[in-house]
Amino acid sequence: MVLKVGITGGIGSGKSTVAKIFGLLGIPVFYADDAAKKLMNEDEHLKAKIIGAFGTDSYRNGTLNRPFIAEKVFNNPAQLTLLNSIVHPATIANADKWMQQQTAPYAIKEAALIFESGAEKWLDKVIGVFAPAPLRIQRVMQRDGITEQEVTARLNKQMNEDDKMHLCDYIINNDEQELLIPQVLKLDAILREEAGSKSKRLKAES
Ligand code: ADP
């Protein structure tokens, strides 16, 4: 069975960028954010749960009413926790099913919230992408066209970055001082070895 690898990091750390490099090496990548958005529009069971929690205004013509939901959870941690408690398990299950279908030595799940959602229990290894906060702020301002205050507000809602990195098995330093591609290549070799060990272990057990 494929080695299941997570990639995480704070907003603007460069986790999507790192995931794309793995993708270029032929490694299959599951983008949790995109998958969650798709599931919220297409998974009838999940849709029913969201409507049950937030009301019929949650959908318009079968499509998630994003502004309505955003307004509900914005600055309301209890409502956000409720939404996450509905969406995360569905996304985790979807990612795991996808992982099981992959035939590459290892497959990657890119997600902002891995430890926060308990998704690490479903993964063999987690890679943390690190970048200093000022650089992350600058990147997100440029990427999303928002103000420093808006980025800082998002950043402050996230788990402490040092704590998160301590929970990871490997760290990729994306501070724009150390080159990214050599770090990914090195990790790719390590993960292929790990995948080989996992496969031997599973064979020995069966
Ligand atoms: P995340 O997915 O962690 O929020 P992204 O991968 O989207 O972060 O990166 C945030 C922004 O910073 C993107 O516009 C990306 O192109 C840019 N970026 C990330 N890493 C680098 C890097 N090493 N050099 C230059 N730009 C980068």
Side-chain angles (χ1 to χ4, degrees):
M1 193 204 262
V2 69
L3 186 82
K4 302 170 186 177
V5 180
I7 289 187
T8 195
I11 181 168
S13 61
K15 57 189 173 302
S16 314
T17 304
V18 169
K20 276 185 213 149
I21 302 175
F22 277 103
L24 291 173
L25 295 176
I27 300 303
V29 182
F30 179 95
Y31 292 90
D33 209 32
D34 296 345
K37 282 182 185 146
K38 193 163 185 275
L39 285 171
M40 283 192 273
N41 279 329
E42 294 174 7
D43 182 324
E44 293 307 327
H45 185 63
L46 180 59
K47 282 167 90 165
K49 279 192 170 173
I50 293 173
I51 291 168
F54 297 95
T56 47
D57 284 342
S58 305
Y59 285 84
R60 282 233 173 97
N61 304 321
T63 305
L64 188 74
N65 185 351
R66 292 204 150 267
F68 174 79
I69 293 289
E71 214 250 330
K72 284 262 177 197
V73 302
F74 190 73
N75 285 335
N76 191 330
Q79 293 288 87
L80 180 61
T81 303
L82 175 63
L83 180 66
N84 286 341
S85 75
I86 298 170
V87 178
H88 285 163
T91 312
I92 289 172
N94 186 248
D96 201 60
K97 189 172 153 207
W98 176 89
M99 286 273 185
Q100 286 177 32
Q101 291 163 351
Q102 303 311 311
T103 51
Y106 67 98
I108 284 180
K109 175 186 179 183
E110 185 259 18
L113 311 176
I114 285 188
F115 301 107
E116 297 88 335
S117 64
E120 81 279 9
K121 291 192 275 295
W122 299 74
L123 299 165
D124 296 302
K125 299 285 176 193
V126 180
I127 301 167
V129 179
F130 178 80
L135 187 56
R136 291 165 56 203
I137 293 169
Q138 214 179 63
R139 285 176 182 162
V140 178
M141 283 170 67
Q142 214 155 36
R143 185 192 65 188
D144 299 348
I146 56 177
T147 65
E148 183 174 346
Q149 286 74 14
E150 285 169 313
V151 184
T152 311
R154 284 198 210 170
L155 213 107
N156 288 341
K157 279 186 192 163
Q158 297 193 327
M159 182 176 174
N160 176 281
E161 202 60 5
D162 287 344
D163 292 346
K164 183 175 280 184
M165 293 299 125
H166 273 113
L167 294 170
C168 295
D169 300 289
Y170 313 104
I171 309 269
I172 286 190
N173 189 4
N174 189 23
D175 62 358
E176 292 180 30
Q177 302 295 314
E178 205 173 329
L179 288 174
L180 217 43
I181 293 176
Q183 294 183 73
V184 172
L185 291 176
K186 196 171 155 194
L187 211 44
D188 172 66
I190 293 172
L191 292 169
R192 282 174 192 272
E193 285 255 328
E194 284 289 342
S197 308
K198 180 181 177 181
S199 145
K200 270 189 208 143
R201 203 168 54 239
L202 290 177
K203 264 190 204 135
E205 280 166 16
S206 67

